[in-house]
Amino acid sequence: MKTIPLLTNDLSSAVRSASKLQIVLPPKSLTFDVSLQVDDDLFEKIKLDGFLADKMFGEVSKIYKVAASHLAKEAERIEKEFFAKDKTRAWVISEWEKTAPAILEKFEPILQKKAEGHLKTWQKVQGDSNKYVVRCVFKVAVGTLGVAAATLGTVVAFGSGGGGVGGVVAIYGLYKAVLALGKEINRQRKDVDQAEAALQKYAAGLIKTYKDASKKKVVGREFATEFLNSLSPAEIKNLNGLNTNFDSFKGKLDRVEKGLSNLSTKLNELIDAQEDLQKDVDRKIKKQLAQRDYKSKRLPKLEAKMSKLHTQTARKIAEVSQGIGKVDGARKREKGYRTAIKELNNKKPGWAGKVEKLIILGDLALGAAFTDFSKLDQLLVFINAVGVEVDGVLAEQI
């Protein structure tokens, strides 16, 4: 028998991409190795043709993606039970070692049947009536499904009764959402500033042209119409740019406002999750310590860090409110721009004075004193510290 390699790949990254795991870690040594074993005579016939191997490679590639999806779902199931049923880390390891091979093994007979079918098709085309043996060979290593150490103690202690998912694990998930929103808002607010700067640039160019044209003229509707009708192509660019950048400014301002609203919601959820964690500490850890008449040396550190995390989160909520205030200020200018541009498009002479007043205001929409919400990494420092201290207190009890 000769062997034709079909696919050797690392399944770990594929499972990680396909899953939504919070603290369970896909094995690093998760491999998927499939080859085709054929009779020596058949190997000599197809080694240059490659028809059968090519067909099988296509089948294996499809199976590979399906297998990754099934393994991801299994890892998610194990994590869910780990939380809900107060399982141990050892259970996570043994459950994966029991179920993951079974998931992969069910694909072997599927590929075997596909290989035999492709062989028959190939023989019909070639007019070959010989009897051949073709066999798909799976070599897989499922590795060890792990659990992130920083939150292990929390989940073991709080897993039953709703504590674990509502504690440090939930806080990690919410923090990720908060950080993503913060970075997006920071990018968007800069976009708003750029759009308003461009808007004012086009407005200033148009006003200068208007003032130059209006010297020694009677300024009124008739002149406004005459002015707009006599614009050169370069000057029309300023007019079009004014309209286009106003729409851009408004749209980007809308996105910042929506982002700030979402960020405020997530930060308040983060506060709620911290309060749930505090209840779990009071109800479970403190209660157990009291029953044992044991005074923990690490519990005060845990509570101090939880308090600091709460304070930092509350401070960010206040900063979001300040950001919303900045947006409100920009909204007033947006209304002014809209009125002035409407008068311009309707050829009313009052537009120039209105736009000029807005330009003279100075500060751009969100540039000055607006919190950089992309710098939320300090929250993660406190969250990590809380997770470590929870584990420390639990270890102290043992």
Side-chain angles (χ1 to χ4, degrees):
M1 298 286 285
K2 293 288 179 67
T3 299
I4 303 172
L6 291 178
L7 180 67
T8 301
N9 216 329
D10 160 35
L11 258 175
S12 183
S13 56
V15 170
R16 192 177 295 110
S17 298
S19 63
K20 296 178 180 178
L21 298 168
Q22 295 185 75
I23 66 165
V24 165
L25 308 171
K28 292 182 180 178
S29 56
L30 182 60
T31 57
F32 186 86
D33 188 341
V34 183
S35 59
L36 199 63
Q37 287 189 349
V38 300
D39 287 328
D40 291 0
D41 290 346
L42 178 59
F43 178 79
E44 291 302 320
K45 290 179 180 179
I46 67 172
K47 69 179 181 180
L48 297 178
D49 186 325
F51 174 86
L52 189 59
D54 286 345
K55 286 289 184 183
M56 284 304 302
F57 180 79
E59 298 289 356
V60 172
S61 296
K62 292 176 187 175
I63 293 292
Y64 172 79
K65 292 176 183 177
V66 176
S69 173
H70 284 220
L71 288 169
K73 284 184 172 61
E74 178 61 12
E76 287 171 355
R77 178 195 71 80
I78 290 173
E79 182 178 73
K80 187 176 180 181
E81 288 196 30
F82 179 55
F83 287 145
K85 298 183 180 179
D86 201 10
K87 299 290 187 179
T88 65
R89 185 179 185 183
W91 175 85
V92 170
I93 295 170
S94 64
E95 186 72 1
W96 175 259
E97 289 176 348
K98 179 176 68 177
T99 59
I103 288 172
L104 290 171
E105 284 167 8
K106 70 182 181 182
F107 294 109
E108 193 165 0
I110 296 172
L111 276 175
Q112 180 65 37
K113 192 172 181 180
K114 297 276 188 185
E116 291 168 355
H118 286 306
L119 176 60
K120 287 179 181 177
T121 301
W122 178 83
Q123 285 187 282
K124 284 179 183 178
V125 172
Q126 299 295 326
D128 188 336
S129 58
N130 292 318
K131 295 283 185 182
Y132 297 114
V133 175
V134 57
R135 187 163 54 239
C136 264
V137 179
F138 262 49
K139 291 181 181 178
V140 296
V142 297
T144 301
L145 194 67
V147 179
T151 55
L152 176 61
T154 310
V155 179
V156 171
F158 301 153
S160 58
V165 180
V168 170
V169 177
I171 291 172
Y172 267 110
L174 285 166
Y175 166 76
K176 287 179 182 177
V178 164
L179 185 60
L181 278 168
K183 288 182 177 178
E184 183 65 12
I185 289 167
N186 196 56
R187 184 188 65 75
Q188 288 172 347
R189 77 178 175 90
K190 291 175 183 176
D191 288 347
V192 171
D193 287 350
Q194 288 170 4
E196 188 171 15
L199 175 65
Q200 292 192 356
K201 180 182 176 183
Y202 284 116
L206 200 59
I207 287 171
K208 184 179 183 304
T209 304
Y210 183 78
K211 283 184 173 181
D212 290 343
S214 66
K215 289 176 181 176
K216 299 180 182 179
K217 298 269 187 175
V218 177
V219 176
R221 178 180 287 276
E222 187 176 330
F223 171 73
T225 302
E226 178 190 330
F227 167 74
L228 291 170
N229 289 340
S230 65
L231 291 175
S232 69
E235 292 160 352
I236 288 173
K237 183 180 177 183
N238 279 337
L239 178 61
N240 292 338
L242 190 66
N243 282 287
T244 300
N245 279 276
F246 170 74
D247 292 337
S248 175
F249 168 64
K250 181 187 179 304
K252 288 172 179 176
L253 196 57
D254 289 344
R255 285 195 286 275
V256 169
E257 187 169 9
K258 183 179 178 182
L260 286 169
S261 177
N262 290 338
L263 182 59
S264 177
T265 299
K266 289 296 179 188
L267 283 167
N268 277 291
E269 288 177 6
L270 192 54
I271 286 281
D272 290 343
Q274 291 170 40
E275 289 173 354
D276 287 342
L277 177 59
Q278 182 64 62
K279 289 175 186 175
D280 286 332
V281 170
D282 292 341
R283 187 175 67 248
K284 295 186 177 180
I285 293 183
K286 284 186 177 180
K287 187 177 179 180
Q288 288 179 25
L289 291 173
Q291 287 172 346
R292 297 179 186 183
D293 195 24
Y294 178 78
K295 186 175 181 179
S296 170
K297 295 176 183 177
R298 299 195 66 158
L299 186 59
K301 286 184 180 179
L302 167 61
E303 297 206 297
K305 286 179 180 176
M306 287 173 64
S307 175
K308 199 165 186 178
L309 174 59
H310 192 282
T311 300
Q312 290 294 327
T313 308
R315 186 174 296 165
K316 291 302 173 189
I317 292 172
E319 289 173 354
V320 170
S321 296
Q322 292 168 9
I324 291 171
K326 293 289 290 182
V327 170
D328 289 342
R331 288 293 186 198
K332 291 176 184 176
R333 285 203 298 288
E334 179 209 328
K335 189 182 293 184
Y337 289 130
R338 186 189 296 111
T339 301
I341 290 170
K342 185 177 180 181
E343 289 195 8
L344 172 63
N345 291 331
N346 289 332
K347 300 179 180 179
K348 292 183 178 180
W351 70 270
K354 288 184 172 66
V355 171
E356 194 167 24
K357 283 181 182 178
L358 288 166
I359 294 174
I360 291 169
L361 282 175
D363 281 348
L364 294 180
L366 305 176
F370 194 85
T371 297
D372 184 349
F373 288 109
S374 68
K375 295 179 179 177
L376 288 163
D377 300 77
Q378 65 268 37
L379 285 183
L380 182 59
V381 174
F382 292 121
I383 291 167
N384 276 330
V386 167
V388 169
E389 290 301 331
V390 168
D391 282 347
V393 172
L394 292 169
E396 193 180 36
Q397 293 181 62
I398 296 171

